[in-house]
Amino acid sequence: MLRDVKSHGLWELTAQAAPNTSQLVGPTITDVVVIGGGYTGLSSALHLAEAGARVVLLEAREIGFGGSGRNVGLVNAGMWVMPDTLMDTLSPPFGERLIELLGRGPQKVFELIEKNGIECELERAGTLHCAIGRRGLREIETRAEQWQKRGAPVVVLNAEETRRKIGGGDYTGALLDKRAGTIQPLAYVRGLSRAALAAGVTIFTQTEVINAQNTGSRWRIGSEHGSVDAEWVIVATDAYATGPWSQIRQQQIHLPYFNFATRPLSDHLRKVILPERQGAWDTRQVLSSFRFDRSGRLVFGSVGALKGFGASVHRAWALRSLGRLFPELGDVELETGWFGVIGMTATNLPHFHKLDRNVISFSGYNGRGIAPGTVFGSVLASYVLGQITECDMPLPVVQIAEQPFRAAREAFYKIGSQLVHLTEGWF
């Protein structure tokens, strides 16, 4: 159990229990040690074990403790960066390779869910990127055009079509991505852990990595009460990195993001609001997202941390915003609220790192963790197994570079979101 209502909220209340695991005690030997029990770590461990490798996974807290257990649950294709911009940022052949790989990302997630019988409230109705004003409409039209020329099943809806899909709001349009969907994110990552265990992965939780020693032919990864000797190390800690390779944190700006969930709505409201069960978000700079869970709770979120003054500011804003978006809700009650952080890189793209000899990592998902994390986990497994080389990877190797003024920028986002939400809807 994760136990903290402000970190995992609704997802902790409704997910199946995590499988029984224990803390690492004493020494052990394996082929690959994976550090981090989120989407990337568990996907890599699962794919490695299915190929016959011996795998030990170490998680500092509990399965899904980081972003994998706190996010909105939108399974989107691609990244925030538009395809053409991504092409301009990455040199050939990485751009098109990454676009193709992540364009098929949701399908990879859905296949793993079906193959392993993971109960995680899967909805495959697509997602809606909702346009605010003319500028927002131009943005989604450009995004749609760039995906359509690559054969993606995306369409732009007009204002009236969008209103019917949403059941409210005054959006000028929406991009419907038929590749996408929604899941219960903590249930999914716990399902991955059960599949990994069934495939032969050994998982230790409450096992924070505190040191790493290169012994020449192998790595010795140490925790407080034990150690793992392995030929390969996969670091899958992303925005929650600690320990020997915590420098991954230095390349990221942490953007806080919260969600609130209502109590289950009436049958009438469930038929009116998001009747087809798409997940949705908008084009505001301080964006909003909303979706249903399987029991009819409306999950509504935005940028900000539910800490101190921010907790009351963001809660009041959420109630005002829900009232404007869906007036028929009336005096809705928020049942739970929780938050986490998104790791933002300077390019808004993930990074592939070779941290040392036989130590590799993907990180920096920029708010798109579910599909990319799952896909990149399988890529890391293929790399370790020798099925692909560095030349076949979807991203080039980059060195870790600290983002300037990181603490100040993070404080700006935290305080800025409070100011936006304090005034929005009143003035």
Side-chain angles (χ1 to χ4, degrees), residues 29-33 48-49 51-56 200-202 218 229-230:
I29 299 175
T30 191
D31 297 325
V32 185
V33 58
L48 283 164
R54 296 177 301 166
V55 185
V56 170
V201 177
T202 301
R218 302 179 69 82
D229 281 19

Side-chain angles (χ1 to χ4, degrees), residues 208-232:
E208 182 174 3
V209 173
I210 56 178
N211 57 63
Q213 179 185 1
N214 185 348
T215 64
S217 61
R218 302 179 69 82
W219 282 92
R220 178 161 297 161
I221 306 301
S223 66
E224 184 179 5
H225 300 293
S227 64
V228 181
D229 281 19
E231 182 180 355
W232 282 90

Side-chain angles (χ1 to χ4, degrees), residues 4 76 120 123 214 222 224 277 284 318 331 339 350 390 396:
D4 186 350
N76 279 310
C120 60
E123 295 282 356
N214 185 348
E224 184 179 5
R277 292 302 180 264
R284 290 184 180 91
D331 294 328
F339 75 101
E390 191 175 308

Side-chain angles (χ1 to χ4, degrees), residues 282 284 286-288 300 302 316-318 320-321 324 417-427:
D282 61 39
R284 290 184 180 91
V286 181
L287 64 85
S288 306
F300 190 75
S302 184
W317 168 84
R320 293 197 309 274
S321 298
R324 292 195 306 273
S417 65
Q418 292 180 17
L419 292 174
V420 169
H421 289 163
L422 187 63
T423 58
E424 194 173 84
W426 293 117
F427 303 101

Side-chain angles (χ1 to χ4, degrees), residues 276-343:
E276 298 175 11
R277 292 302 180 264
Q278 287 92 2
W281 75 102
D282 61 39
T283 60
R284 290 184 180 91
Q285 186 172 7
V286 181
L287 64 85
S288 306
S289 60
F290 48 98
R291 54 158 296 190
F292 269 114
D293 82 334
R294 187 64 58 84
S295 297
R297 298 177 181 89
L298 189 57
V299 180
F300 190 75
S302 184
V303 178
L306 301 184
K307 295 174 64 176
F309 182 59
S312 58
V313 168
H314 298 314
R315 184 180 186 88
W317 168 84
L319 290 169
R320 293 197 309 274
S321 298
L322 282 169
R324 292 195 306 273
L325 188 58
F326 305 114
E328 61 271 36
L329 280 175
D331 294 328
V332 66
E333 182 179 354
L334 301 179
E335 185 178 45
T336 54
W338 66 101
F339 75 101
V341 296
I342 298 169

